[in-house]
Amino acid sequence: MRRVVVTGAGTVNALAPDVVGTLAAMKEGRCGIGALAFADVERLTIRIGAQVKDFAPEALFEKSKLSFYDRFTQFGLLAAREAMGQAGLTEVPGDPTRWGAIIGTAGGGNATVNEAYRAVYAENKNRVHPFTVPKLMSNAAASHISMDWGLMGPSFAVATACASSNHAIGLAYQMIRSGMADGMLAGGAESMLNFGGLKAWEGLRVMSPDGCRPFAANRNGMVQGEGAGVFVLESYDSAQARGATILAEITGFAMCSDAGDIVMPSRDGAARAMRGALTDAGISADQVDYINAHGTGTNANDRTEAAAILEVFGDRGMVVPVSSTKAMHGHCIGATGAVELLACLMALNEGVIAPTVNHDTPDPDCPLDVVPNTAREAKVQTVMSNAFAFGGLNAVLLLSKV
């Protein structure tokens, strides 16, 4: 089995249009959640979100290509560009048939779907844009990233709701480790902040009208965000041979299903995924220095995740730092694990643990050290990143310093 490392990272999210800005915001505990701005927002009950503002795709892409790119694809392409740049690559090293792209998304081209429905039902048009299907398909971001960089190996989309990014990164890790691929671009992209997207989410009654407060007693729901996170993964030997800067090594991954309820989380499933990742990495829970929690800010998720952490980590579960960055960048659904992985890389490389902001009232049912409100300096060697999705689909990653 080959060792697998991360050599590049890229992002677009409500905190910043790049990694440097995102990490600066996380260190400051800055919140990217605010009033939403799009057509018909006044018809919604929920009018806040972590929206990417001042985004001008016309200045970032060729006009002839924009007609093929949904907003989620645009985010994914930009994140991939930054990741390849940080990895020091203008093209993939070696055989392009052994490099691919796996991009997680829950909604795919949701913005395109919203626009098409508006045209047909609100504006009474009889036609939609001829490229509506290529724009809305969930594999669009992965496909366009593969075309941008000439990736001729395995490329596809992963759709596992809020665990999509962790599944994508974990699958890419397994492909490289097993020898199926030499390198991958992996992560997630999402953009569901539009009238149709949020109207559907309102029906679930899990959205907060006033802010995201993970693990706090006064939490009242999640706040949706948007954006992308993409990473360059390659074998340790390849990175060493070309003198690349290694950001982290992926040391463990596990995924499992609750096989229970379509929306309610399971402590057992979350615990099995965490234990599986530890087993895959060959380490004990005592060796984990930081947990990036799923931490959505809903009553069901936070209490279930806290209980699962305490089950796996025992008494240490009350003292190991556990933070949810969703209070800053929102719940980016299929992209959320990828954006959160940036906080994991920051902890490993800079010794700074991102805080759980908006945390002013501890919940006795979540007796965790949630790094409340202020970033913390710490010596971090190994991190765990949790993702637990609707449908009972769980994916947990472990990363370590090299």
Side-chain angles (χ1 to χ4, degrees):
M1 292 291 193
R2 299 192 295 180
R3 296 172 65 185
V4 181
V5 296
V6 181
T7 55
T11 190
V12 177
N13 63 79
L15 296 176
D18 53 29
V19 171
V20 171
T22 298
L23 298 189
M26 288 181 174
K27 291 174 191 173
E28 295 169 13
R30 191 190 320 147
C31 183
I33 295 169
L36 292 169
F38 52 70
D40 290 331
V41 69
E42 69 280 355
R43 294 176 58 195
L44 295 170
T45 302
I46 302 300
R47 301 177 187 177
I48 63 167
Q51 189 174 14
V52 176
K53 300 286 183 67
D54 303 319
F55 184 68
E58 298 80 8
L60 299 167
F61 300 100
E62 296 175 30
K63 185 177 180 180
S64 61
K65 293 185 177 181
L66 264 181
S67 58
F68 291 98
Y69 297 163
D70 181 89
R71 187 174 169 95
F72 98 106
T73 296
Q74 296 167 22
F75 290 158
L77 286 167
L78 292 174
R81 278 185 201 172
E82 185 184 11
M84 289 291 280
Q86 186 180 40
L89 295 171
T90 56
E91 59 183 16
V92 297
D95 184 355
T97 67
R98 294 188 56 78
W99 278 71
I102 308 178
I103 303 298
T105 186
N110 183 266
T112 296
V113 173
N114 185 68
E115 291 165 6
Y117 279 149
R118 180 183 295 280
V120 173
Y121 293 114
E123 300 170 4
N124 293 316
K125 293 182 179 179
N126 291 323
R127 295 181 181 179
V128 295
H129 194 284
F131 299 138
T132 295
V133 170
K135 286 177 70 176
L136 66 80
M137 60 191 189
S138 294
N139 62 293
S143 294
H144 284 293
I145 288 171
S146 74
M147 289 182 244
D148 253 19
W149 296 98
L151 313 178
M152 302 172 71
S155 297
F156 53 93
V158 172
T160 52
C162 315
S164 299
S165 288
N166 274 24
H167 275 112
I169 295 164
L171 290 171
Y173 156 68
Q174 290 181 330
M175 284 186 173
I176 299 169
R177 183 171 66 165
S178 69
M180 182 181 289
D182 291 335
M184 301 290 289
L185 287 175
E190 200 78 270
S191 180
M192 299 176 71
L193 291 181
N194 56 66
F195 175 73
L198 273 187
K199 180 54 74 175
W201 275 94
E202 279 186 355
L204 286 168
R205 299 185 181 181
V206 296
M207 307 288 286
S208 169
D210 55 17
C212 182
R213 295 178 287 275
F215 301 111
N218 61 342
R219 66 191 181 277
N220 60 358
M222 58 174 272
V223 175
Q224 193 167 150
E226 64 178 355
V230 176
F231 303 87
V232 177
L233 276 57
E234 58 185 300
S235 71
Y236 174 79
D237 290 344
S238 168
Q240 285 285 87
R242 66 183 189 85
T245 298
I246 294 175
L247 303 179
E249 179 176 2
I250 302 178
T251 52
F253 171 61
M255 50 187 167
C256 69
S257 303
D258 297 343
D261 194 275
I262 196 68
V263 292
M264 290 300 293
S266 158
R267 182 181 73 176
D268 174 68
R272 281 190 292 115
M274 286 188 276
R275 286 198 187 100
L278 292 168
T279 299
D280 189 48
I283 65 173
S284 70
D286 289 343
Q287 292 171 269
V288 176
D289 304 304
Y290 165 59
I291 302 171
N292 186 282
H294 191 57
T296 62
T298 64
N299 285 325
N301 173 88
D302 292 2
R303 287 176 181 160
T304 300
E305 184 171 14
I309 289 171
L310 294 172
E311 180 180 324
V312 173
F313 286 79
D315 291 342
R316 190 163 181 273
M318 292 187 283
V319 296
V320 63
V322 180
S323 69
S324 170
T325 55
K326 286 183 175 70
M328 292 185 278
H329 54 67
H331 192 331
C332 301
I333 316 299
T336 203
V339 176
E340 289 161 1
L341 199 66
L342 298 171
C344 294
L345 295 179
M346 181 174 75
L348 291 171
N349 293 306
E350 302 185 38
V352 178
I353 295 176
T356 304
V357 303
N358 304 327
H359 194 275
D360 54 4
T361 312
D363 182 355
D365 289 333
C366 301
L368 308 172
D369 174 5
V370 299
V371 194
N373 303 312
T374 304
R376 180 185 304 169
E377 293 186 1
K379 185 176 181 181
V380 177
Q381 177 64 37
T382 298
V383 300
M384 174 179 282
S385 178
N386 289 343
F388 309 127
F390 277 176
L393 307 180
N394 311 303
V396 174
L397 292 161
L398 282 169
L399 296 91
S400 297
K401 291 176 73 170
V402 175

